[in-house]
Amino acid sequence: MTDARAGQEPAPALAAAAVAEASPAPVPATSRLPGSGVLLAAVGAIAFSGKAIIVKLGYRHGADAVTLLALRMLVALPWFLLLGAWAARRAPPLRRGDAGRIAALGFFGYYLASFLDFAGLAHITATLERLILYLTPTLVVLIGMLAFKRRVGRRQALALGVSYAGVLLAFGHDLQLGGGNIALGSALVFASALSYALYLVGSGELVARVGAVRLTAYASTVACGLCIGQFLLMRPLGALSLPPEVYWLSLLNGTVCTVLPVLAVMMAVARIGSGLAAQIGMIGPVSTIVLSLWLLGEPMGPWQIAGTVLVMAGVLVGSRQKA
């Protein structure tokens, strides 16, 4: 359906960018796949999926989207700076105008997508959020079709239909339980996926020249500044008077759900290739379901399970088409 970058969550999506850069060739089907690579890819997918769980827990302790996002970015900022410095060691200097493009990509791909995602999570379950975000590859395809007149094959069209049918099933299940708030939250998360899809479409030429890891680090640094600045403009410093649990959760969100999966997926791609790493990444929705049931006690019905299966099947069909 599209490359491995689009199969991950919108923000910060570091591992997704690393996948695109780190593996130019697939692993031959006849070679023996290192077990460590499969394990690392699974760890990265599960760690990424924990973001929604941590945000939902933060809401239960009285924090809001603006504060949680600022705290997450504050924790992640030093790691983005280090990653950018590491990626730029032997890289050519940026061209004139690149800084403005990187700033725009940081706004859409990591700031806006993250804020809309966090805001949507205040109204919908973590499972529905994850399924909607998994529509990002389909949105990349649709943008290419509408903006660049790219043809969509029958297999891709089937993947699109199956994916959206799955989300509609899960949405209908949650709508019966939550009413209008579910519609609002779903719209916000869908807008988040669309914002990140625009980033993917707009970053193609720049990724090839600047490098995916370097671009991601720079754009994420821009997003960190925007998220922290948004908090300073919209909230008094007294808003930081929060229970200690919120700070522990933010520390986990910025490290275990951001830095750890980045490194895990980068090492996994080096061992098994980007294609297989993306396929293993489909464990994300399943892990979200398990974590939401275990830690959040969110309701799970047969329609939501069926929707999850359909979304995963659609993404699988699309990714095999790309391969």
Side-chain angles (χ1 to χ4, degrees):
M1 188 175 293
T2 186
D3 63 26
R5 290 175 295 155
Q8 303 292 340
E9 67 172 323
L14 286 170
V19 165
E21 180 177 78
S23 180
V27 175
T30 56
S31 66
R32 181 168 180 166
L33 299 175
S36 60
V38 174
L39 178 61
L40 286 166
V43 168
I46 294 171
F48 267 127
S49 67
K51 176 265 302 176
I53 307 300
I54 289 179
V55 172
K56 299 287 283 186
L57 290 172
Y59 287 150
R60 293 184 178 183
H61 289 287
D64 62 12
V66 173
T67 304
L68 287 175
L69 185 57
L71 290 175
R72 184 195 193 193
M73 291 304 198
L74 189 63
V75 172
L77 178 57
W79 298 99
F80 289 134
L81 293 173
L82 288 174
L83 186 63
W86 175 81
R89 289 178 304 165
R90 299 179 180 178
L94 296 176
R95 295 181 183 176
R96 185 176 182 180
D98 282 350
R101 297 186 185 96
I102 290 172
L105 291 174
F107 175 84
F108 284 103
Y110 298 107
Y111 162 70
L112 184 60
S114 295
F115 176 69
L116 292 171
D117 181 37
F118 275 49
L121 274 168
H123 304 289
I124 63 175
T125 63
T127 298
L128 181 57
E129 179 256 8
R130 174 60 45 181
L131 294 182
I132 294 174
L133 291 184
Y134 256 65
L135 294 179
T136 300
T138 71
L139 293 174
V140 173
V141 172
L142 292 174
I143 291 172
M145 181 179 66
L146 295 175
F148 305 107
K149 309 301 180 183
R150 294 173 183 164
R151 296 183 59 186
V152 176
R154 278 184 286 184
R155 189 163 184 171
Q156 282 186 312
L158 174 63
L160 290 170
V162 170
S163 298
Y164 281 89
V167 170
L168 287 175
L169 282 178
F171 173 76
H173 170 270
D174 285 19
L175 188 62
Q176 291 179 344
L177 300 177
N181 286 339
I182 299 299
L184 172 61
S186 299
L188 289 170
V189 176
F190 184 82
S192 169
L194 178 59
S195 181
Y196 190 68
L198 291 172
Y199 161 81
L200 290 174
V201 172
S203 65
E205 181 269 337
L206 207 57
V207 166
R209 182 161 48 81
V210 175
V213 173
R214 186 183 178 198
L215 175 60
T216 301
Y218 288 176
S220 297
T221 299
V222 171
C224 286
L226 291 172
C227 292
I228 296 170
Q230 175 181 255
F231 172 82
L232 294 175
L233 288 173
M234 298 180 63
R235 299 288 186 272
L237 291 179
L240 294 175
S241 297
L242 296 165
E245 291 84 355
V246 174
Y247 291 96
W248 285 112
L249 289 170
S250 297
L251 181 62
L252 285 174
N253 210 2
T255 55
V256 175
C257 296
T258 301
V259 179
L260 173 62
V262 170
L263 299 177
V265 173
M266 287 177 67
M267 291 187 290
V269 167
R271 288 165 170 78
I272 63 177
S274 61
L276 182 57
Q279 301 276 338
I280 296 171
M282 292 178 61
I283 197 176
V286 177
S287 63
T288 301
I289 291 174
V290 174
L291 290 173
S292 65
L293 288 171
W294 176 35
L295 297 175
L296 301 176
E298 292 184 346
M300 174 61 62
W303 291 110
Q304 205 167 27
I305 296 174
T308 301
V309 172
L310 286 176
V311 171
M312 294 176 66
V315 173
L316 180 62
V317 170
S319 62
R320 284 186 172 178
Q321 170 75 6
K322 179 65 178 180

